[in-house]
Amino acid sequence: MPFPIINSIASWVLKQRIHQIELFLKYPNEVQEDLLLNLIRNCEETVIGKKYDFASVKSYQTFIDRVPVSHYEDLEPLIEETRKGYQNIFWHTPIKWFAKSSGTTNAKSKFIPVSTAALEDCHYKGSKDLLAMYLHNNPESNLFLGKSLRLGGSSQIYANNNTYFGDLSAILIENMPLWAEFSSTPSNKTSLMSEWETKLAAIIHETKTENVTSFAGVPSWMMVLMQRILNETGHTQLLDLWPNLEVYFHGGVSFEPYREQYQKLLPKPDFKYYEIYNASEGFFAIQDLNYSNDLLLMLDYGIFYEFIPMSTFSTPDEKIIRLAEVELDTNYAVVITTNSGLWRYMIGDTVRFTSISPYRIRVSGRTKHHINVFGEELMVENTDKALALTCQALHCSIKDYTVAPIFMQGKEKGAHEWMIEFDQSPDSVAAFAELLDNHLQSVNSDYEAKRYNNMTLNPLKLNVARKNLFYDWLKERDKLGGQNKIPRLSNQRDYLEQLIQLQHSASL
């Protein structure tokens, strides 16, 4: 199909959506309130609906008075019943797909229910809006003259019950319209392969002769694929292989630690990076402007939002607020109610608002992946920013990292211990550690206060990881590829100690 026709179709799609987007931009809180009441009305006859008497719930206040905030462990027994084929528990239509929680490094996986409504009105709607916004901002784009190289997970069948589970990306690939495969590479068959190393080889074989115009995937794993492609083809930059590349759609982990590496692989002044915020539980936000780090919170995807200020999180004073009550530059834990039947569900992410008209956010971390052992309230956003500044100043780059506390013992003060795997090492590790510590103080005033004159915290301790340490650690846990992520920060030392042990065992 000639590009002008494709562009005209995309423009038409955008125009069909623009009045809806304008509606939630102008009346965000009213749109959210109506959405919540519609979710409740749809599910009056479900197991959950009858338990909390949804039929008599007519307001937000009644809803929160009856329905408690839930974690996965609270819902697991009912989720397992649904996976066995029982229906009408969470949602009023059958659920047969379950997104195996992406990124967890625990032995136990989560299985998030995904309804047909969530597929159509949330995940696919988000993908279409992303493309529409990109084309709206870049009307001269040649995106559809080529294909999008996507990097997703794998899919497996849950035995004998006509229910299925896999990474969210695999579920989306499995259910997308047939025509969509023609604009993507590799093929669905290759995209759904489960063995990571075999899959990488197959992706390279299929894609190196295609006209790839965009990438879509998690930055950490996409970088692995890109470097493997360059090694196998002998090229020094990806534009030699795919000269029409113009945009990378990314999400899943912060892009900041990888930005310089991507810019070296893609040295094109007008190359664009578009971020999305989605998860197994839903599609939440989209970068709607070129060259922006802010994400527009999408308010009509069947998801109702609530927020817990991290200053009160897991304390006796914990409070939960609606969208209308959020404030700028405050870290919040996110609570969602969705069109897959997750009711007041804690997803584990933290965000902060950079704008409230319209509502724009940045993902700041995870409720479990932060360090607040000494009152320093260190978030992933802080460590990513400090690393980016340090790498830029010292002309180096990293592949992965994790941080844990060194607990106080006797008169010995505490500290933070880092494990960093460099892609390009600094000339001096000691200088890197000192500058990183200074940048952490500049981006986090609580950390700065605890570091003042070494009053509470000593300077950070830095371990340099051997090549592929994090990769091997994930491989040991059968967590290679797809959506799996390294836990950046932890209040405990479990992850760090495992990595130290693996590093030590390799040197014996």
Side-chain angles (χ1 to χ4, degrees), residues 31-189:
V31 167
Q32 279 278 283
E33 192 92 7
D34 288 346
L35 187 153
L36 174 63
L37 292 176
N38 284 335
L39 293 175
I40 292 170
R41 296 286 77 80
N42 284 333
C43 293
E44 290 178 3
E45 297 303 315
T46 62
V47 171
I48 293 290
K50 291 179 179 178
K51 178 179 180 179
Y52 296 115
D53 190 17
F54 279 0
S56 66
V57 174
K58 309 297 182 185
S59 68
Y60 170 71
Q61 188 59 52
T62 306
F63 175 68
I64 63 172
D65 287 343
R66 292 187 188 174
V67 182
V69 171
S70 62
H71 298 78
Y72 184 80
E73 293 72 21
D74 304 319
L75 304 180
E76 186 178 23
L78 292 178
I79 288 175
E80 287 306 307
E81 287 295 301
T82 309
R83 289 183 66 202
K84 292 175 183 176
Y86 296 100
Q87 297 295 341
N88 206 43
I89 295 177
F90 300 101
W91 190 244
H92 65 106
T93 61
I95 294 176
K96 72 172 186 176
W97 291 98
F98 295 84
K100 188 176 180 182
S101 180
S102 59
T104 179
T105 53
N106 298 325
K108 188 176 183 180
S109 294
K110 299 178 183 178
F111 296 90
I112 306 299
V114 181
S115 68
T116 301
L119 284 173
E120 297 295 335
D121 299 331
C122 183
H123 293 290
Y124 290 141
K125 190 175 182 179
S127 298
K128 287 185 284 188
D129 281 352
L130 171 65
L131 292 174
M133 288 178 183
Y134 176 77
L135 292 173
H136 177 67
N137 294 332
N138 303 280
E140 302 304 315
S141 167
N142 290 318
L143 187 69
F144 289 116
L145 288 181
K147 293 187 176 182
S148 175
L149 196 167
R150 62 192 179 189
L151 183 60
S154 60
S155 184
Q156 301 177 35
I157 296 176
Y158 181 67
N160 301 325
N161 294 308
N162 195 35
T163 62
Y164 306 87
F165 70 85
D167 289 344
L168 173 67
S169 58
I171 293 174
L172 297 178
I173 290 170
E174 187 76 30
N175 286 281
M176 68 173 49
L178 183 62
W179 59 264
E181 183 171 1
F182 294 112
S183 63
S184 302
T185 187
S187 63
N188 285 2
K189 180 179 179 182

Side-chain angles (χ1 to χ4, degrees), residues 59 75 83 176 182 193 196 199 208 229 232 257 305 308 316 331 344 357 360 362 372 393 412 429 440 444 462 505:
S59 68
L75 304 180
R83 289 183 66 202
M176 68 173 49
F182 294 112
M193 292 173 67
W196 173 246
K199 180 177 182 173
K208 63 185 179 182
I229 288 172
E232 294 206 11
Y305 294 97
I308 303 174
N331 282 307
R344 306 197 80 199
S357 184
R360 286 196 174 97
R362 293 188 187 181
N372 194 28
E412 187 63 32
V429 173
L440 284 169
N444 184 310
L462 174 58
S505 64

Side-chain angles (χ1 to χ4, degrees), residues 4 94 173 190 204 290 365 382 389 398 402 447 453 486:
I173 290 170
T190 297
I204 294 169
N290 286 338
N382 302 146
L389 291 170
I398 70 162
T402 195
Y447 181 79
N453 286 337
I486 298 295

Side-chain angles (χ1 to χ4, degrees), residues 376-389:
E376 66 274 50
E377 297 188 28
L378 196 68
M379 307 294 292
V380 174
E381 185 182 33
N382 302 146
T383 53
D384 282 346
K385 180 66 174 177
L387 275 172
L389 291 170

